[in-house]
């Protein structure tokens, strides 16, 4: 089974802090994603990465950056945390499978981040 | 054009009843439509998925109905059980690994 592990289940930080959220997957997937989940808004894509050191902005990248130095690890960085970034953050991964059509994304259990 | 509209936002069903969640999309180039189930404290997990070349897919009590001409697809949960109480998300994908998610439906099945 694919396992996507997010390093923290709950995190409390203060406004202005630099925050790191870590995600590791064990299935050698090329593609990794960071979403935030808010009630009534569903899952919104922040950033994704399709290869090591490669990244692309999603729908709501403002205030965030990412890092992918190794294939299995994808980090989300809040450069200067603000209260409107209080949310549930979900990491996902999926393999590239040319010619086989879309594959399902596999999610971690999320990090609930509170910014005070 | 990239949106996926999901309804209802919440749903209460009696045990043994049928739960129906609907999604609509605009972009006819979408080519993969998964449904995810999320329990409290857990990440979303793939429940069932369909491609637009079929009109229905069934896995156990869960069925996706797909109407290409209406640009709609729906999840039907037959014989709903309290253990089905969760949040359900539809999604659509466009020949990439990026998904567009619906806003979610919170289902509660009463015992």
């Amino acid at each position: 089974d694919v396992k996507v592990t997010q390093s923290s289940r709950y995190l409390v930080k203060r406004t202005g802090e630099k925050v790191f959220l870590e995600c590791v997957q064990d299935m050698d997937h090329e593609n990794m994603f960071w979403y935030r989940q808010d009630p009534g808004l569903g899952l919104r894509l922040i950033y994704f990465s399709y290869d090591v050191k490669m990244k692309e902005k999603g729908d709501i990248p403002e205030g965030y950056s990412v890092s992918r130095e190794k294939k299995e690890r994808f980090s989300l960085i809040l450069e200067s945390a603000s209260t409107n970034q209080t949310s549930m953050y979900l990491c996902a991964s999926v393999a590239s499978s040319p010619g086989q059509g879309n594959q399902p994304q596999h999610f971690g259990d999320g990090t609930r981040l509170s910014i005070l | 054009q990239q949106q996926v509209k999901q309804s209802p936002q919440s749903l209460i069903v009696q045990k043994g009843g049928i739960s129906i969640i609907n999604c609509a999309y605009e972009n006819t180039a979408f080519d993969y439509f998964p449904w995810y189930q999320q329990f409290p404290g857990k990440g979303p997990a793939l429940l069932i998925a369909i491609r637009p070349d079929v009109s229905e897919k069934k896995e156990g009590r869960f069925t996706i109905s797909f109407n290409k001409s209406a640009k709609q697809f729906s999840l039907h949960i037959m014989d709903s059980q309290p253990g089905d109480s969760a949040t359900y998300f539809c999604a659509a994908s466009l020949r990439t690994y990026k998904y567009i998610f619906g806003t979610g439906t919170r289902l509660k099945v009463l015992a």
Side-chain angles (χ1 to χ4, degrees):
Chain A
D1 270 357
V2 176
K3 191 160 180 64
V4 179
T5 302
Q6 295 184 231
S7 56
S8 304
R9 293 299 303 274
Y10 301 94
L11 211 51
V12 180
K13 297 290 181 181
R14 299 213 172 269
T15 55
E17 280 193 68
K18 191 169 186 176
V19 181
F20 294 85
L21 303 183
E22 305 288 343
C23 174
V24 176
Q25 50 94 3
D26 66 356
M27 284 302 292
D28 203 36
H29 285 170
E30 291 81 4
N31 307 282
M32 297 186 74
F33 306 81
W34 275 106
Y35 296 90
R36 64 177 282 177
Q37 180 178 7
D38 300 289
L41 297 178
L43 278 69
R44 293 181 292 166
L45 182 64
I46 304 171
Y47 266 98
F48 72 101
S49 169
Y50 48 92
D51 203 348
V52 174
K53 296 190 185 295
M54 307 302 287
K55 61 186 179 184
E56 197 168 313
K57 292 180 180 179
D59 300 318
I60 51 165
E62 296 78 19
Y64 303 95
S65 63
V66 290
S67 172
R68 192 156 179 214
E69 297 296 319
K70 293 185 178 181
K71 192 174 185 180
E72 68 271 18
R73 186 179 297 270
F74 192 34
S75 303
L76 179 70
I77 304 157
L78 285 66
E79 297 291 343
S80 178
S82 64
T83 54
N84 63 11
Q85 292 178 309
T86 291
S87 187
M88 169 70 85
Y89 289 88
L90 290 163
C91 176
S93 73
V94 64
S96 295
S97 54
Q100 296 179 33
N102 296 64
Q103 300 297 311
Q105 292 188 11
H106 299 268
F107 284 84
D109 284 337
T111 296
R112 186 164 291 283
L113 176 64
S114 295
I115 307 296
L116 305 179
Chain B
Q1 252 209 338
Q2 291 291 81
Q3 279 189 323
V4 175
K5 295 183 179 179
Q6 183 172 348
S7 62
Q9 190 171 3
S10 62
L11 182 61
I12 300 175
V13 173
Q14 293 287 338
K15 179 182 175 181
I18 302 173
S19 304
I20 302 174
I21 304 170
N22 300 299
C23 285
Y25 63 97
E26 288 294 322
N27 192 337
T28 56
F30 285 140
D31 61 353
Y32 182 67
F33 301 89
W35 284 90
Y36 280 78
Q37 180 187 54
Q38 184 181 29
F39 294 107
K42 293 289 188 181
L46 179 70
L47 185 62
I48 187 172
I50 197 168
R51 301 186 195 281
D53 52 347
V54 298
S55 60
E56 185 175 282
K57 184 173 181 180
K58 185 174 181 179
E59 289 184 2
R61 296 184 292 109
F62 300 91
T63 300
I64 300 178
S65 297
F66 188 83
N67 187 329
K68 194 172 183 177
S69 60
K71 293 184 284 187
Q72 295 175 347
F73 58 110
S74 59
L75 176 69
H76 296 236
I77 306 174
M78 311 300 287
D79 187 26
S80 298
Q81 299 296 313
D84 297 330
S85 297
T87 300
Y88 293 82
F89 293 96
C90 63
S93 179
L94 177 60
R95 287 191 297 278
T96 68
Y97 305 101
K98 288 173 61 178
Y99 289 3
I100 309 297
F101 282 91
T103 51
T105 296
R106 183 172 289 185
L107 171 66
K108 185 175 178 62
V109 181
L110 301 176

